[in-house]
Amino acid sequence: MGKLNESSTLDTDWDLLILGAGASGLMCAATAGYQGLKVLVLDHSPKAAGKIRISGGGKCNFTNLQVTPEHYVCQNPHFVKSALSRYPSTAFIELVERHGLAYETRELGKLFCRDRASDLIQILRTECDWAQVAFSLNTSLESVEVAAGLYQLRTTSGNFRARQFVIATGALSFPKLKASDLGYRLAEQFGLRVLPTRPGLVPLVFTGKWQQRCADLAGLSLDVTVSAGGRCFTEAILFTHQGLSGPGILQASNYWFEGQPLVINLLPKQAVMNELKQLRQTAGNLSRWLQNYLPKRFVQQWLVWYPLAAEVANASDGELQAYAEQLSAWTLYPAATAGYDKAEVTLGGVDTDELSSKTFEVKKQPGLYFIGEVLDVTGHLGGFNFQWAWASGVACAQAVAQRVAEKNRKFNP
Ligand SMILES: Cc1cc2nc3c(=O)[nH]c(=O)nc-3n(C[C@H](O)[C@H](O)[C@H](O)COP(=O)(O)OP(=O)(O)OC[C@H]3O[C@@H](n4cnc5c(N)ncnc54)[C@H](O)[C@@H]3O)c2cc1C
C-alpha cells in the first residue's frame, strides 16, 4: 500500500483527506483517486481494514444479492435509498470479479470470500495503489480546524490540509480493533446532532433463572422466528452460557430495547393448535410430538419449564389454546445486550438529517463529509453493513471529485 514517505512535506495540500482506513474509507479513497484526486487516508491503527479481516468468521460476508432500504435501521428510512441505488451490490460483485476473487453464495443471498477475508483487503489495497492513494497509518488526530475553507489537521505524523475532509472512522463496536468515538466527537465539534448509540447485531444476556436455563442448553441451536420491536426474523438462535445468540437473535437485537420483550415462535411452520387437537384425539405423547420439530435436549427442558397442566388427552380447548400460544409466542425478557465488545455494529450515530443523502456532505459545513457506520445507518445481518460502507464511500467520492473539478474549472477556466 502506498505509504506517505518520510521525505513528504507534511504541509502539502491534498485534494481530499479521509480519516479512517476501514471499509468505507478505502472505497472512498480508491474511487476519488481514480478521478484524479490527490488523496491521503489517515488512521490510528497500524493496519487498514481491521474489521474486514475478522468479519464473517474470517471469510467476510461482503455484500448481499438482495439489498433494499428495508434492510437498514435509520431514523430517516429514505436516507439510504440514493447511495444504495447508485452503487448496488452487483457493482461491488463486478469489482471483486475483475480481481478474480473466489467467493461463494450462502443462504439468504449472502456473499462470502471462499478462502479468506484478507483476499478482499488485498483487492481494496490494490485499488488504492492503482488510484495512487497515499496513507498515513499509525497516525492519531490531535485537532481539526477550518480556516478559509481549508480543513487543517494536526496529527502525530504532522499537519495536513485539504478543502475536502471525509470522516470514515466507523463506530464503537469491537474496541479491540481500534474502534473509537472520534467521529461523534468531530460531529459535535461542528455542531451536528449525534443520535444516542447502542450495540447492534449483538447477543442478548439474561440474569438469574433464565441465564442458568440458557447455560444448561449452551451450544444448542433452534430454527425459529424471533420478534422484537415489531420486526421478526426466521433464522437460527443459539443458547450460550450468558443467554441467546445466533443469527435470529443478532437480527432481533437491532430492534430490541432494554425492558422490552423478545418473542420466539418455536414452531413457525406448524399449525400448532390443529396439531395439538389431533394429538388429543389420538391420545398422543406431547414430548414425542415436540421432538418431531425440536431437539430432544430442548424438549426435555421445555416440558420441565412449561408442563401441560393436564394429560393431552384430557386437556380442554382453553388449555390447548394457552399451550399453543406458549409455543408460538414464548416471551422472554433479556437483561441486556452483550455490549460493544461483542456487537458487530453500532446503532445510532451522526444524524442523517445533517447531511445530503446524495453527496454525504454536511449541509451546514461545506467540504465536510461523513460516510459508513459513523452515521445513524445500521444494516441487518447478511453483508448489508459492508454494502453500506461501499455505497456511501463511492457516492461521497463522486461528489467530492465533482466539487474539486468545479473548483479547478473556476480557477483555471
Ligand atoms: C466482528 C465483526 C464482524 C462483522 N462482520 C460483518 C460481515 O460479515 N458483513 C458485514 O456487512 N458487516 C460486518 N461487520 C460490520 C462491518 O465491519 C462494519 O459495518 C464496517 O466495517 C463499517 O465500515 P466503516 O468504514 O464505517 O468503519 P470501519 O471499517 O470500522 O473503519 C473505521 C476505521 O477508522 C479508524 N479509526 C477509528 N477511530 C479512529 C481514530 N480515533 N483515529 C484514527 N482512525 C480511527 C479505525 O482504525 C478503522 O480503520 C462486522 C463487524 C464486526 C465487529
Side-chain angles (χ1 to χ4, degrees), residues 22-24 43-44 51 54-56 61 169-170 174 178 180 182 344 372-373 383 385-386:
S24 62
D43 200 298
H44 64 169
K51 279 192 185 162
I54 54 130
S55 64
N61 177 194
T169 46
F174 263 60
K178 308 281 266 175
S180 84
L182 180 65
E344 287 197 12
E373 205 186 314
N385 285 292
F386 279 130

mmCIF file with all atom_site columns, all heavy atoms in Angstrom, residues 22-24 43-44 51 54-56 61 169-170 174 178 180 182 344 372-373 383 385-386, ligand 1:
data_model
loop_
_atom_site.group_PDB
_atom_site.id
_atom_site.type_symbol
_atom_site.label_atom_id
_atom_site.label_alt_id
_atom_site.label_comp_id
_atom_site.label_asym_id
_atom_site.label_entity_id
_atom_site.label_seq_id
_atom_site.pdbx_PDB_ins_code
_atom_site.Cartn_x
_atom_site.Cartn_y
_atom_site.Cartn_z
_atom_site.occupancy
_atom_site.B_iso_or_equiv
_atom_site.pdbx_formal_charge
_atom_site.auth_seq_id
_atom_site.auth_comp_id
_atom_site.auth_asym_id
_atom_site.auth_atom_id
_atom_site.pdbx_PDB_model_num
ATOM   1   N N   . GLY A 1 22  ? -10.859 2.168   7.006  1.00 0.00 ? 22  GLY A N   1
ATOM   2   C CA  . GLY A 1 22  ? -11.702 0.966   7.078  1.00 0.00 ? 22  GLY A CA  1
ATOM   3   C C   . GLY A 1 22  ? -12.412 0.759   5.764  1.00 0.00 ? 22  GLY A C   1
ATOM   4   O O   . GLY A 1 22  ? -11.980 1.266   4.708  1.00 0.00 ? 22  GLY A O   1
ATOM   5   N N   . ALA A 1 23  ? -13.521 0.025   5.815  1.00 0.00 ? 23  ALA A N   1
ATOM   6   C CA  . ALA A 1 23  ? -14.222 -0.357  4.584  1.00 0.00 ? 23  ALA A CA  1
ATOM   7   C C   . ALA A 1 23  ? -14.651 0.867   3.771  1.00 0.00 ? 23  ALA A C   1
ATOM   8   O O   . ALA A 1 23  ? -14.341 0.981   2.574  1.00 0.00 ? 23  ALA A O   1
ATOM   9   C CB  . ALA A 1 23  ? -15.440 -1.209  4.958  1.00 0.00 ? 23  ALA A CB  1
ATOM   10  N N   . SER A 1 24  ? -15.346 1.802   4.414  1.00 0.00 ? 24  SER A N   1
ATOM   11  C CA  . SER A 1 24  ? -15.869 2.945   3.644  1.00 0.00 ? 24  SER A CA  1
ATOM   12  C C   . SER A 1 24  ? -14.742 3.886   3.230  1.00 0.00 ? 24  SER A C   1
ATOM   13  O O   . SER A 1 24  ? -14.753 4.432   2.119  1.00 0.00 ? 24  SER A O   1
ATOM   14  C CB  . SER A 1 24  ? -16.928 3.700   4.456  1.00 0.00 ? 24  SER A CB  1
ATOM   15  O OG  . SER A 1 24  ? -16.358 4.234   5.632  1.00 0.00 ? 24  SER A OG  1
ATOM   16  N N   . ASP A 1 43  ? -5.111  6.946   9.600  1.00 0.00 ? 43  ASP A N   1
ATOM   17  C CA  . ASP A 1 43  ? -5.756  6.016   10.536 1.00 0.00 ? 43  ASP A CA  1
ATOM   18  C C   . ASP A 1 43  ? -4.833  5.821   11.733 1.00 0.00 ? 43  ASP A C   1
ATOM   19  O O   . ASP A 1 43  ? -3.615  5.767   11.571 1.00 0.00 ? 43  ASP A O   1
ATOM   20  C CB  . ASP A 1 43  ? -6.016  4.671   9.854  1.00 0.00 ? 43  ASP A CB  1
ATOM   21  C CG  . ASP A 1 43  ? -7.084  3.856   10.562 1.00 0.00 ? 43  ASP A CG  1
ATOM   22  O OD1 . ASP A 1 43  ? -6.886  3.499   11.753 1.00 0.00 ? 43  ASP A OD1 1
ATOM   23  O OD2 . ASP A 1 43  ? -8.125  3.577   9.939  1.00 0.00 ? 43  ASP A OD2 1
ATOM   24  N N   . HIS A 1 44  ? -5.429  5.696   12.929 1.00 0.00 ? 44  HIS A N   1
ATOM   25  C CA  . HIS A 1 44  ? -4.572  5.494   14.105 1.00 0.00 ? 44  HIS A CA  1
ATOM   26  C C   . HIS A 1 44  ? -4.092  4.044   14.235 1.00 0.00 ? 44  HIS A C   1
ATOM   27  O O   . HIS A 1 44  ? -3.212  3.741   15.016 1.00 0.00 ? 44  HIS A O   1
ATOM   28  C CB  . HIS A 1 44  ? -5.267  5.970   15.386 1.00 0.00 ? 44  HIS A CB  1
ATOM   29  C CG  . HIS A 1 44  ? -6.496  5.209   15.756 1.00 0.00 ? 44  HIS A CG  1
ATOM   30  N ND1 . HIS A 1 44  ? -7.109  5.345   16.981 1.00 0.00 ? 44  HIS A ND1 1
ATOM   31  C CD2 . HIS A 1 44  ? -7.257  4.327   15.075 1.00 0.00 ? 44  HIS A CD2 1
ATOM   32  C CE1 . HIS A 1 44  ? -8.174  4.579   17.033 1.00 0.00 ? 44  HIS A CE1 1
ATOM   33  N NE2 . HIS A 1 44  ? -8.293  3.957   15.893 1.00 0.00 ? 44  HIS A NE2 1
ATOM   34  N N   . LYS A 1 51  ? -11.518 -4.581  10.532 1.00 0.00 ? 51  LYS A N   1
ATOM   35  C CA  . LYS A 1 51  ? -12.790 -5.296  10.703 1.00 0.00 ? 51  LYS A CA  1
ATOM   36  C C   . LYS A 1 51  ? -13.060 -6.264  9.558  1.00 0.00 ? 51  LYS A C   1
ATOM   37  O O   . LYS A 1 51  ? -13.653 -7.305  9.757  1.00 0.00 ? 51  LYS A O   1
ATOM   38  C CB  . LYS A 1 51  ? -13.956 -4.312  10.837 1.00 0.00 ? 51  LYS A CB  1
ATOM   39  C CG  . LYS A 1 51  ? -14.056 -3.776  12.249 1.00 0.00 ? 51  LYS A CG  1
ATOM   40  C CD  . LYS A 1 51  ? -15.326 -3.033  12.506 1.00 0.00 ? 51  LYS A CD  1
ATOM   41  C CE  . LYS A 1 51  ? -15.248 -2.432  13.903 1.00 0.00 ? 51  LYS A CE  1
ATOM   42  N NZ  . LYS A 1 51  ? -16.227 -1.354  14.084 1.00 0.00 ? 51  LYS A NZ  1
ATOM   43  N N   . ILE A 1 54  ? -11.527 -9.785  10.224 1.00 0.00 ? 54  ILE A N   1
ATOM   44  C CA  . ILE A 1 54  ? -12.146 -10.757 11.142 1.00 0.00 ? 54  ILE A CA  1
ATOM   45  C C   . ILE A 1 54  ? -13.627 -10.987 10.834 1.00 0.00 ? 54  ILE A C   1
ATOM   46  O O   . ILE A 1 54  ? -14.269 -11.825 11.445 1.00 0.00 ? 54  ILE A O   1
ATOM   47  C CB  . ILE A 1 54  ? -12.017 -10.303 12.610 1.00 0.00 ? 54  ILE A CB  1
ATOM   48  C CG1 . ILE A 1 54  ? -12.573 -8.884  12.776 1.00 0.00 ? 54  ILE A CG1 1
ATOM   49  C CG2 . ILE A 1 54  ? -10.606 -10.407 13.105 1.00 0.00 ? 54  ILE A CG2 1
ATOM   50  C CD1 . ILE A 1 54  ? -13.531 -8.788  13.892 1.00 0.00 ? 54  ILE A CD1 1
ATOM   51  N N   . SER A 1 55  ? -14.170 -10.236 9.864  1.00 0.00 ? 55  SER A N   1
ATOM   52  C CA  . SER A 1 55  ? -15.619 -10.307 9.652  1.00 0.00 ? 55  SER A CA  1
ATOM   53  C C   . SER A 1 55  ? -16.038 -11.647 9.048  1.00 0.00 ? 55  SER A C   1
ATOM   54  O O   . SER A 1 55  ? -15.230 -12.337 8.428  1.00 0.00 ? 55  SER A O   1
ATOM   55  C CB  . SER A 1 55  ? -16.043 -9.182  8.711  1.00 0.00 ? 55  SER A CB  1
ATOM   56  O OG  . SER A 1 55  ? -15.435 -9.381  7.458  1.00 0.00 ? 55  SER A OG  1
ATOM   57  N N   . GLY A 1 56  ? -17.304 -11.953 9.265  1.00 0.00 ? 56  GLY A N   1
ATOM   58  C CA  . GLY A 1 56  ? -17.885 -13.168 8.674  1.00 0.00 ? 56  GLY A CA  1
ATOM   59  C C   . GLY A 1 56  ? -17.076 -14.411 9.019  1.00 0.00 ? 56  GLY A C   1
ATOM   60  O O   . GLY A 1 56  ? -16.855 -15.261 8.154  1.00 0.00 ? 56  GLY A O   1
ATOM   61  N N   . ASN A 1 61  ? -18.535 -11.524 4.948  1.00 0.00 ? 61  ASN A N   1
ATOM   62  C CA  . ASN A 1 61  ? -19.805 -11.508 4.191  1.00 0.00 ? 61  ASN A CA  1
ATOM   63  C C   . ASN A 1 61  ? -19.891 -10.103 3.581  1.00 0.00 ? 61  ASN A C   1
ATOM   64  O O   . ASN A 1 61  ? -20.434 -9.190  4.179  1.00 0.00 ? 61  ASN A O   1
ATOM   65  C CB  . ASN A 1 61  ? -20.949 -11.785 5.180  1.00 0.00 ? 61  ASN A CB  1
ATOM   66  C CG  . ASN A 1 61  ? -22.308 -11.734 4.561  1.00 0.00 ? 61  ASN A CG  1
ATOM   67  O OD1 . ASN A 1 61  ? -23.293 -11.676 5.278  1.00 0.00 ? 61  ASN A OD1 1
ATOM   68  N ND2 . ASN A 1 61  ? -22.397 -11.749 3.248  1.00 0.00 ? 61  ASN A ND2 1
ATOM   69  N N   . THR A 1 169 ? -14.586 7.084   10.315 1.00 0.00 ? 169 THR A N   1
ATOM   70  C CA  . THR A 1 169 ? -13.958 6.438   11.470 1.00 0.00 ? 169 THR A CA  1
ATOM   71  C C   . THR A 1 169 ? -14.805 5.342   12.092 1.00 0.00 ? 169 THR A C   1
ATOM   72  O O   . THR A 1 169 ? -14.456 4.826   13.153 1.00 0.00 ? 169 THR A O   1
ATOM   73  C CB  . THR A 1 169 ? -13.614 7.479   12.547 1.00 0.00 ? 169 THR A CB  1
ATOM   74  O OG1 . THR A 1 169 ? -14.747 8.335   12.708 1.00 0.00 ? 169 THR A OG1 1
ATOM   75  C CG2 . THR A 1 169 ? -12.407 8.293   12.164 1.00 0.00 ? 169 THR A CG2 1
ATOM   76  N N   . GLY A 1 170 ? -15.921 4.963   11.449 1.00 0.00 ? 170 GLY A N   1
ATOM   77  C CA  . GLY A 1 170 ? -16.703 3.841   11.968 1.00 0.00 ? 170 GLY A CA  1
ATOM   78  C C   . GLY A 1 170 ? -17.338 4.164   13.306 1.00 0.00 ? 170 GLY A C   1
ATOM   79  O O   . GLY A 1 170 ? -17.514 5.330   13.672 1.00 0.00 ? 170 GLY A O   1
ATOM   80  N N   . PHE A 1 174 ? -16.501 -3.420  18.808 1.00 0.00 ? 174 PHE A N   1
ATOM   81  C CA  . PHE A 1 174 ? -15.190 -4.069  18.781 1.00 0.00 ? 174 PHE A CA  1
ATOM   82  C C   . PHE A 1 174 ? -14.043 -3.096  19.061 1.00 0.00 ? 174 PHE A C   1
ATOM   83  O O   . PHE A 1 174 ? -13.162 -2.869  18.222 1.00 0.00 ? 174 PHE A O   1
ATOM   84  C CB  . PHE A 1 174 ? -14.979 -4.792  17.437 1.00 0.00 ? 174 PHE A CB  1
ATOM   85  C CG  . PHE A 1 174 ? -15.303 -6.263  17.536 1.00 0.00 ? 174 PHE A CG  1
ATOM   86  C CD1 . PHE A 1 174 ? -16.581 -6.660  17.900 1.00 0.00 ? 174 PHE A CD1 1
ATOM   87  C CD2 . PHE A 1 174 ? -14.343 -7.244  17.318 1.00 0.00 ? 174 PHE A CD2 1
ATOM   88  C CE1 . PHE A 1 174 ? -16.908 -7.998  18.027 1.00 0.00 ? 174 PHE A CE1 1
ATOM   89  C CE2 . PHE A 1 174 ? -14.653 -8.590  17.452 1.00 0.00 ? 174 PHE A CE2 1
ATOM   90  C CZ  . PHE A 1 174 ? -15.933 -8.957  17.799 1.00 0.00 ? 174 PHE A CZ  1
ATOM   91  N N   . LYS A 1 178 ? -9.597  -1.156  17.559 1.00 0.00 ? 178 LYS A N   1
ATOM   92  C CA  . LYS A 1 178 ? -9.327  0.282   17.475 1.00 0.00 ? 178 LYS A CA  1
ATOM   93  C C   . LYS A 1 178 ? -10.562 1.118   17.112 1.00 0.00 ? 178 LYS A C   1
ATOM   94  O O   . LYS A 1 178 ? -10.444 2.203   16.543 1.00 0.00 ? 178 LYS A O   1
ATOM   95  C CB  . LYS A 1 178 ? -8.192  0.590   16.483 1.00 0.00 ? 178 LYS A CB  1
ATOM   96  C CG  . LYS A 1 178 ? -6.914  -0.188  16.696 1.00 0.00 ? 178 LYS A CG  1
ATOM   97  C CD  . LYS A 1 178 ? -6.082  0.359   17.799 1.00 0.00 ? 178 LYS A CD  1
ATOM   98  C CE  . LYS A 1 178 ? -5.045  1.325   17.352 1.00 0.00 ? 178 LYS A CE  1
ATOM   99  N NZ  . LYS A 1 178 ? -4.304  1.954   18.425 1.00 0.00 ? 178 LYS A NZ  1
ATOM   100 N N   . SER A 1 180 ? -13.434 3.712   17.846 1.00 0.00 ? 180 SER A N   1
ATOM   101 C CA  . SER A 1 180 ? -13.421 4.841   18.773 1.00 0.00 ? 180 SER A CA  1
ATOM   102 C C   . SER A 1 180 ? -14.603 5.762   18.507 1.00 0.00 ? 180 SER A C   1
ATOM   103 O O   . SER A 1 180 ? -15.297 5.626   17.511 1.00 0.00 ? 180 SER A O   1
ATOM   104 C CB  . SER A 1 180 ? -12.108 5.630   18.643 1.00 0.00 ? 180 SER A CB  1
ATOM   105 O OG  . SER A 1 180 ? -12.210 6.550   17.569 1.00 0.00 ? 180 SER A OG  1
ATOM   106 N N   . LEU A 1 182 ? -14.313 8.910   17.921 1.00 0.00 ? 182 LEU A N   1
ATOM   107 C CA  . LEU A 1 182 ? -13.789 10.155  17.340 1.00 0.00 ? 182 LEU A CA  1
ATOM   108 C C   . LEU A 1 182 ? -14.778 10.789  16.356 1.00 0.00 ? 182 LEU A C   1
ATOM   109 O O   . LEU A 1 182 ? -14.956 12.009  16.343 1.00 0.00 ? 182 LEU A O   1
ATOM   110 C CB  . LEU A 1 182 ? -12.444 9.901   16.646 1.00 0.00 ? 182 LEU A CB  1
ATOM   111 C CG  . LEU A 1 182 ? -11.824 11.142  16.003 1.00 0.00 ? 182 LEU A CG  1
ATOM   112 C CD1 . LEU A 1 182 ? -11.454 12.181  17.052 1.00 0.00 ? 182 LEU A CD1 1
ATOM   113 C CD2 . LEU A 1 182 ? -10.590 10.786  15.182 1.00 0.00 ? 182 LEU A CD2 1
ATOM   114 N N   . GLU A 1 344 ? -21.504 -6.513  16.469 1.00 0.00 ? 344 GLU A N   1
ATOM   115 C CA  . GLU A 1 344 ? -20.916 -6.314  15.135 1.00 0.00 ? 344 GLU A CA  1
ATOM   116 C C   . GLU A 1 344 ? -21.073 -4.873  14.666 1.00 0.00 ? 344 GLU A C   1
ATOM   117 O O   . GLU A 1 344 ? -20.298 -4.403  13.831 1.00 0.00 ? 344 GLU A O   1
ATOM   118 C CB  . GLU A 1 344 ? -21.568 -7.258  14.111 1.00 0.00 ? 344 GLU A CB  1
ATOM   119 C CG  . GLU A 1 344 ? -21.122 -8.689  14.289 1.00 0.00 ? 344 GLU A CG  1
ATOM   120 C CD  . GLU A 1 344 ? -21.407 -9.560  13.083 1.00 0.00 ? 344 GLU A CD  1
ATOM   121 O OE1 . GLU A 1 344 ? -21.745 -9.053  12.010 1.00 0.00 ? 344 GLU A OE1 1
ATOM   122 O OE2 . GLU A 1 344 ? -21.295 -10.788 13.254 1.00 0.00 ? 344 GLU A OE2 1
ATOM   123 N N   . GLY A 1 372 ? -20.220 5.732   6.002  1.00 0.00 ? 372 GLY A N   1
ATOM   124 C CA  . GLY A 1 372 ? -20.074 4.450   6.701  1.00 0.00 ? 372 GLY A CA  1
ATOM   125 C C   . GLY A 1 372 ? -20.873 4.381   7.976  1.00 0.00 ? 372 GLY A C   1
ATOM   126 O O   . GLY A 1 372 ? -21.929 5.008   8.138  1.00 0.00 ? 372 GLY A O   1
ATOM   127 N N   . GLU A 1 373 ? -20.329 3.625   8.919  1.00 0.00 ? 373 GLU A N   1
ATOM   128 C CA  . GLU A 1 373 ? -21.083 3.280   10.127 1.00 0.00 ? 373 GLU A CA  1
ATOM   129 C C   . GLU A 1 373 ? -21.152 4.401   11.158 1.00 0.00 ? 373 GLU A C   1
ATOM   130 O O   . GLU A 1 373 ? -21.948 4.331   12.096 1.00 0.00 ? 373 GLU A O   1
ATOM   131 C CB  . GLU A 1 373 ? -20.454 2.029   10.739 1.00 0.00 ? 373 GLU A CB  1
ATOM   132 C CG  . GLU A 1 373 ? -21.420 1.235   11.586 1.00 0.00 ? 373 GLU A CG  1
ATOM   133 C CD  . GLU A 1 373 ? -20.729 0.095   12.302 1.00 0.00 ? 373 GLU A CD  1
ATOM   134 O OE1 . GLU A 1 373 ? -19.939 -0.636  11.683 1.00 0.00 ? 373 GLU A OE1 1
ATOM   135 O OE2 . GLU A 1 373 ? -20.986 -0.048  13.514 1.00 0.00 ? 373 GLU A OE2 1
ATOM   136 N N   . GLY A 1 383 ? -24.303 -8.994  5.203  1.00 0.00 ? 383 GLY A N   1
ATOM   137 C CA  . GLY A 1 383 ? -23.490 -8.283  4.212  1.00 0.00 ? 383 GLY A CA  1
ATOM   138 C C   . GLY A 1 383 ? -23.991 -6.875  3.947  1.00 0.00 ? 383 GLY A C   1
ATOM   139 O O   . GLY A 1 383 ? -23.419 -6.149  3.131  1.00 0.00 ? 383 GLY A O   1
ATOM   140 N N   . ASN A 1 385 ? -24.068 -4.276  5.987  1.00 0.00 ? 385 ASN A N   1
ATOM   141 C CA  . ASN A 1 385 ? -23.256 -3.187  6.545  1.00 0.00 ? 385 ASN A CA  1
ATOM   142 C C   . ASN A 1 385 ? -22.067 -2.869  5.648  1.00 0.00 ? 385 ASN A C   1
ATOM   143 O O   . ASN A 1 385 ? -21.748 -1.700  5.431  1.00 0.00 ? 385 ASN A O   1
ATOM   144 C CB  . ASN A 1 385 ? -22.847 -3.527  7.982  1.00 0.00 ? 385 ASN A CB  1
ATOM   145 C CG  . ASN A 1 385 ? -24.028 -3.361  8.907  1.00 0.00 ? 385 ASN A CG  1
ATOM   146 O OD1 . ASN A 1 385 ? -24.490 -2.238  9.134  1.00 0.00 ? 385 ASN A OD1 1
ATOM   147 N ND2 . ASN A 1 385 ? -24.573 -4.474  9.394  1.00 0.00 ? 385 ASN A ND2 1
ATOM   148 N N   . PHE A 1 386 ? -21.434 -3.918  5.105  1.00 0.00 ? 386 PHE A N   1
ATOM   149 C CA  . PHE A 1 386 ? -20.351 -3.621  4.160  1.00 0.00 ? 386 PHE A CA  1
ATOM   150 C C   . PHE A 1 386 ? -20.911 -2.958  2.909  1.00 0.00 ? 386 PHE A C   1
ATOM   151 O O   . PHE A 1 386 ? -20.301 -2.039  2.374  1.00 0.00 ? 386 PHE A O   1
ATOM   152 C CB  . PHE A 1 386 ? -19.554 -4.875  3.811  1.00 0.00 ? 386 PHE A CB  1
ATOM   153 C CG  . PHE A 1 386 ? -18.521 -5.214  4.862  1.00 0.00 ? 386 PHE A CG  1
ATOM   154 C CD1 . PHE A 1 386 ? -18.423 -6.490  5.383  1.00 0.00 ? 386 PHE A CD1 1
ATOM   155 C CD2 . PHE A 1 386 ? -17.656 -4.247  5.330  1.00 0.00 ? 386 PHE A CD2 1
ATOM   156 C CE1 . PHE A 1 386 ? -17.476 -6.797  6.356  1.00 0.00 ? 386 PHE A CE1 1
ATOM   157 C CE2 . PHE A 1 386 ? -16.706 -4.531  6.315  1.00 0.00 ? 386 PHE A CE2 1
ATOM   158 C CZ  . PHE A 1 386 ? -16.615 -5.813  6.821  1.00 0.00 ? 386 PHE A CZ  1
HETATM 159 C C1  . LIG B 2 .   ? -16.774 -8.965  14.419 1.00 0.00 ? 1   LIG B C1  1
HETATM 160 C C2  . LIG B 2 .   ? -17.424 -8.224  13.290 1.00 0.00 ? 1   LIG B C2  1
HETATM 161 C C3  . LIG B 2 .   ? -17.858 -8.937  12.185 1.00 0.00 ? 1   LIG B C3  1
HETATM 162 C C4  . LIG B 2 .   ? -18.520 -8.252  11.135 1.00 0.00 ? 1   LIG B C4  1
HETATM 163 N N1  . LIG B 2 .   ? -18.923 -8.977  10.058 1.00 0.00 ? 1   LIG B N1  1
HETATM 164 C C5  . LIG B 2 .   ? -19.560 -8.331  9.040  1.00 0.00 ? 1   LIG B C5  1
HETATM 165 C C6  . LIG B 2 .   ? -19.926 -9.039  7.862  1.00 0.00 ? 1   LIG B C6  1
HETATM 166 O O1  . LIG B 2 .   ? -19.585 -10.223 7.684  1.00 0.00 ? 1   LIG B O1  1
HETATM 167 N N2  . LIG B 2 .   ? -20.644 -8.354  6.915  1.00 0.00 ? 1   LIG B N2  1
HETATM 168 C C7  . LIG B 2 .   ? -20.965 -7.030  7.048  1.00 0.00 ? 1   LIG B C7  1
HETATM 169 O O2  . LIG B 2 .   ? -21.616 -6.463  6.151  1.00 0.00 ? 1   LIG B O2  1
HETATM 170 N N3  . LIG B 2 .   ? -20.574 -6.321  8.129  1.00 0.00 ? 1   LIG B N3  1
HETATM 171 C C8  . LIG B 2 .   ? -19.873 -6.934  9.113  1.00 0.00 ? 1   LIG B C8  1
HETATM 172 N N4  . LIG B 2 .   ? -19.454 -6.231  10.202 1.00 0.00 ? 1   LIG B N4  1
HETATM 173 C C9  . LIG B 2 .   ? -19.721 -4.763  10.231 1.00 0.00 ? 1   LIG B C9  1
HETATM 174 C C10 . LIG B 2 .   ? -18.692 -4.017  9.341  1.00 0.00 ? 1   LIG B C10 1
HETATM 175 O O3  . LIG B 2 .   ? -17.398 -4.433  9.712  1.00 0.00 ? 1   LIG B O3  1
HETATM 176 C C11 . LIG B 2 .   ? -18.822 -2.513  9.534  1.00 0.00 ? 1   LIG B C11 1
HETATM 177 O O4  . LIG B 2 .   ? -20.159 -2.106  9.374  1.00 0.00 ? 1   LIG B O4  1
HETATM 178 C C12 . LIG B 2 .   ? -17.947 -1.761  8.513  1.00 0.00 ? 1   LIG B C12 1
HETATM 179 O O5  . LIG B 2 .   ? -16.594 -2.127  8.674  1.00 0.00 ? 1   LIG B O5  1
HETATM 180 C C13 . LIG B 2 .   ? -18.091 -0.259  8.713  1.00 0.00 ? 1   LIG B C13 1
HETATM 181 O O6  . LIG B 2 .   ? -17.210 0.398   7.836  1.00 0.00 ? 1   LIG B O6  1
HETATM 182 P P1  . LIG B 2 .   ? -16.610 1.836   8.247  1.00 0.00 ? 1   LIG B P1  1
HETATM 183 O O7  . LIG B 2 .   ? -15.673 2.199   7.172  1.00 0.00 ? 1   LIG B O7  1
HETATM 184 O O8  . LIG B 2 .   ? -17.706 2.749   8.585  1.00 0.00 ? 1   LIG B O8  1
HETATM 185 O O9  . LIG B 2 .   ? -15.834 1.566   9.607  1.00 0.00 ? 1   LIG B O9  1
HETATM 186 P P2  . LIG B 2 .   ? -14.601 0.590   9.889  1.00 0.00 ? 1   LIG B P2  1
HETATM 187 O O10 . LIG B 2 .   ? -14.465 -0.424  8.816  1.00 0.00 ? 1   LIG B O10 1
HETATM 188 O O11 . LIG B 2 .   ? -14.772 0.154   11.291 1.00 0.00 ? 1   LIG B O11 1
HETATM 189 O O12 . LIG B 2 .   ? -13.341 1.549   9.766  1.00 0.00 ? 1   LIG B O12 1
HETATM 190 C C14 . LIG B 2 .   ? -13.107 2.610   10.654 1.00 0.00 ? 1   LIG B C14 1
HETATM 191 C C15 . LIG B 2 .   ? -11.640 2.965   10.607 1.00 0.00 ? 1   LIG B C15 1
HETATM 192 O O13 . LIG B 2 .   ? -11.442 4.151   11.362 1.00 0.00 ? 1   LIG B O13 1
HETATM 193 C C16 . LIG B 2 .   ? -10.319 4.015   12.178 1.00 0.00 ? 1   LIG B C16 1
HETATM 194 N N5  . LIG B 2 .   ? -10.438 4.851   13.354 1.00 0.00 ? 1   LIG B N5  1
HETATM 195 C C17 . LIG B 2 .   ? -11.337 4.700   14.362 1.00 0.00 ? 1   LIG B C17 1
HETATM 196 N N6  . LIG B 2 .   ? -11.110 5.629   15.300 1.00 0.00 ? 1   LIG B N6  1
HETATM 197 C C18 . LIG B 2 .   ? -10.053 6.376   14.870 1.00 0.00 ? 1   LIG B C18 1
HETATM 198 C C19 . LIG B 2 .   ? -9.317  7.460   15.443 1.00 0.00 ? 1   LIG B C19 1
HETATM 199 N N7  . LIG B 2 .   ? -9.627  7.933   16.669 1.00 0.00 ? 1   LIG B N7  1
HETATM 200 N N8  . LIG B 2 .   ? -8.282  7.963   14.754 1.00 0.00 ? 1   LIG B N8  1
HETATM 201 C C20 . LIG B 2 .   ? -7.926  7.452   13.527 1.00 0.00 ? 1   LIG B C20 1
HETATM 202 N N9  . LIG B 2 .   ? -8.574  6.414   12.960 1.00 0.00 ? 1   LIG B N9  1
HETATM 203 C C21 . LIG B 2 .   ? -9.627  5.877   13.629 1.00 0.00 ? 1   LIG B C21 1
HETATM 204 C C22 . LIG B 2 .   ? -10.267 2.539   12.518 1.00 0.00 ? 1   LIG B C22 1
HETATM 205 O O14 . LIG B 2 .   ? -8.953  2.121   12.881 1.00 0.00 ? 1   LIG B O14 1
HETATM 206 C C23 . LIG B 2 .   ? -10.754 1.890   11.227 1.00 0.00 ? 1   LIG B C23 1
HETATM 207 O O15 . LIG B 2 .   ? -9.689  1.578   10.359 1.00 0.00 ? 1   LIG B O15 1
HETATM 208 C C24 . LIG B 2 .   ? -18.756 -6.855  11.232 1.00 0.00 ? 1   LIG B C24 1
HETATM 209 C C25 . LIG B 2 .   ? -18.278 -6.147  12.327 1.00 0.00 ? 1   LIG B C25 1
HETATM 210 C C26 . LIG B 2 .   ? -17.617 -6.814  13.352 1.00 0.00 ? 1   LIG B C26 1
HETATM 211 C C27 . LIG B 2 .   ? -17.104 -6.020  14.529 1.00 0.00 ? 1   LIG B C27 1
#
